[in-house]
Amino acid sequence: MRFFPVDKFFGLFSHDVGIDLGTAYTLVWVKGKGIVIREPSVIARNKKTKEVLAIGSSAKKMLGRTPASIETIRPLKDGVIADFDAAEAMLSFYIKKVHESGGYLPKIPRPKVVIGIPSGVTEVERRAVADAALDAGAREAHLIEEPTAAAIGAGLPVKSPEGIFVVDIGGGTSEIAIISMGGIVLGRSIRIAGDEMDEAIISYVRLKYSLLLGQPTAESVKIGIGSAVSGKDRFMVVRGRDLENGLPKSLKLSSGEIREALATIVQEIVASIVDTIGETPPELVSDIMEKGIVMAGGGSLLVGIDRAVCEATKMPVWVAEDPLTCVVRGCGKVLEDPGLLKKIRVSRGLR
């Protein structure tokens, strides 16, 4: 008697899933459907019972507004899992949401999942991500490094022997890597990215104006009027708490002030890119000079950051199309090419 393989049985009922498990946002790609979920990586839960009350956008709206009995947390910090239970709950919620929307029973599907992770994480941190995905209901969890996923998502020929330079600025980490023949030849993962930009804005406004802003407000300012190089002045009104008298206060900020607040963060990212080029083998430098540096991730949308990198490196720089989704689109393309998945994955978990 010939038995039907269990993994193929589950495969009949499930969609393979690619996940960009980001510090700021989680994106989910489903085979045959494309990107179906783009939500903040935030959950709200009861402090005592640990019951999850909200996940994603609804949880983010609660930041800074919850009573003492409810905590609003981000399961990931600096690109790695900081709260395992919260990360598992978030992954489980999104995996079930994907299958329920497809009309399947939530208990049947056990998808194959590909997750993008920072290139600098430890083996323990990799295992934590794989375990969270398996505990959330995946039958297989494949991990690939975010710079490689971003390059694939941007449509770059990662299997080619020619060098590709990718800079992926996310929420928790900035990934800088030179890729050739499907692997990272030289890479850096620095824990300076979008979150640090938000903190820099909060600190700047607090020190200069004695006004305390919340993280969501700082993020809105960064997106609205943030820039890395000088240009036309833009303005934005923010509201916060006056530290001198504790009362609400409004303030008009300019793009020049926010550029000043972000200067140190931008300089550190640019310096890491320059240092990476300094360590690159000459033949690969020649390839990069010809093709340029590709920027991905939400941080690459900061106005003028590509110009800042171009001026510092003396190399052409271009921002990938829809840089926010490069990693998750790369995970999706890898799922559609088993040979590529086998070549570039850095870890695999089975349940």
Side-chain angles (χ1 to χ4, degrees):
M1 184 181 290
R2 188 176 178 182
F3 292 97
F4 195 68
V6 174
D7 61 337
K8 290 188 178 179
F9 171 78
F10 282 121
L12 291 173
F13 296 96
S14 64
H15 298 295
D16 290 340
V17 176
I19 300 175
D20 176 7
L21 190 62
T23 305
Y25 287 87
T26 296
L27 289 83
V28 180
W29 178 95
V30 177
K31 192 173 183 178
K33 295 185 177 182
I35 299 168
V36 296
I37 292 172
R38 190 183 307 201
E39 296 275 344
S41 300
V42 183
I43 79 162
R45 66 184 179 189
N46 187 292
K47 276 187 178 178
K48 290 184 179 178
T49 64
K50 301 300 180 183
E51 178 192 357
V52 177
L53 306 174
I55 294 176
S57 298
S58 53
K60 189 174 182 180
K61 290 175 183 175
M62 299 181 187
L63 278 170
R65 297 185 173 97
T66 56
S69 60
I70 298 173
E71 61 180 354
T72 308
I73 61 170
R74 296 169 71 175
L76 290 97
K77 183 175 175 58
D78 297 331
V80 297
I81 292 177
D83 188 311
F84 185 87
D85 291 337
E88 182 190 330
M90 189 171 71
L91 280 170
S92 180
F93 174 79
Y94 289 138
I95 288 172
K96 286 179 180 177
K97 188 175 180 179
V98 163
H99 287 285
E100 285 172 354
S101 66
Y104 298 111
L105 292 171
K107 288 185 181 177
I108 292 178
R110 292 185 61 198
K112 179 166 70 175
V113 176
V114 171
I115 303 175
I117 57 167
S119 58
V121 300
T122 64
E123 190 58 41
V124 172
E125 289 166 337
R126 287 177 185 174
R127 190 71 250 172
V129 175
D131 286 347
L134 295 171
D135 290 344
R139 76 178 186 277
E140 291 182 34
H142 300 271
L143 308 182
I144 65 172
E145 291 166 323
E146 285 177 355
T148 307
I152 295 168
L156 301 174
V158 296
K159 291 190 281 188
S160 163
E162 296 176 343
I164 297 168
F165 198 135
V166 178
V167 178
D168 177 21
I169 306 173
T173 61
S174 291
E175 304 289 323
I176 303 161
I178 294 166
I179 300 165
S180 178
M181 299 185 69
I184 294 177
V185 177
L186 188 66
R188 290 171 187 260
S189 180
I190 58 170
R191 298 189 176 186
I192 299 169
D195 286 352
E196 281 66 32
M197 292 182 188
D198 297 342
E199 288 298 325
I201 291 169
I202 292 170
S203 179
Y204 179 88
V205 174
R206 184 178 66 243
L207 291 172
K208 187 172 181 178
Y209 296 106
S210 294
L211 183 71
L212 185 62
L213 301 179
Q215 187 274 331
T217 302
E219 185 181 24
S220 298
V221 171
K222 176 184 68 180
I223 294 169
I225 61 172
S227 64
V229 294
S230 57
K232 185 180 178 182
D233 249 358
R234 293 168 294 156
F235 299 90
M236 186 172 179
V237 175
V238 296
R239 296 171 180 84
R241 177 161 56 86
D242 192 323
L243 292 173
E244 293 177 1
N245 55 31
L247 297 176
K249 179 182 173 182
S250 294
L251 178 68
K252 188 177 183 180
L253 293 171
S254 72
S255 55
E257 290 177 304
I258 303 308
R259 183 167 58 252
E260 185 183 338
L262 298 176
T264 303
I265 304 297
V266 172
Q267 285 167 10
E268 287 192 51
I269 293 171
V270 171
S272 294
I273 294 170
V274 172
D275 289 346
T276 304
I277 292 171
E279 297 172 12
T280 306
E283 289 303 317
L284 292 176
V285 170
S286 174
D287 295 336
I288 297 161
M289 282 291 292
E290 184 182 340
K291 295 185 176 181
I293 297 170
V294 183
M295 300 194 69
S300 65
L301 293 172
L302 183 70
V303 175
I305 195 165
D306 53 338
R307 229 170 83 198
V309 174
C310 180
E311 289 171 3
T313 61
K314 312 301 180 190
M315 290 184 176
V317 178
W318 56 280
V319 178
E321 184 181 349
D322 195 6
L324 275 166
T325 65
C326 276
V327 171
V328 76
R329 282 188 285 123
C331 291
K333 287 181 179 180
V334 166
L335 273 170
E336 293 174 337
D337 186 344
L340 182 59
L341 173 60
K342 189 175 181 180
K343 185 178 179 68
I344 68 170
R345 73 180 177 212
V346 293
S347 186
R348 181 190 189 197
L350 296 171
R351 179 59 53 87

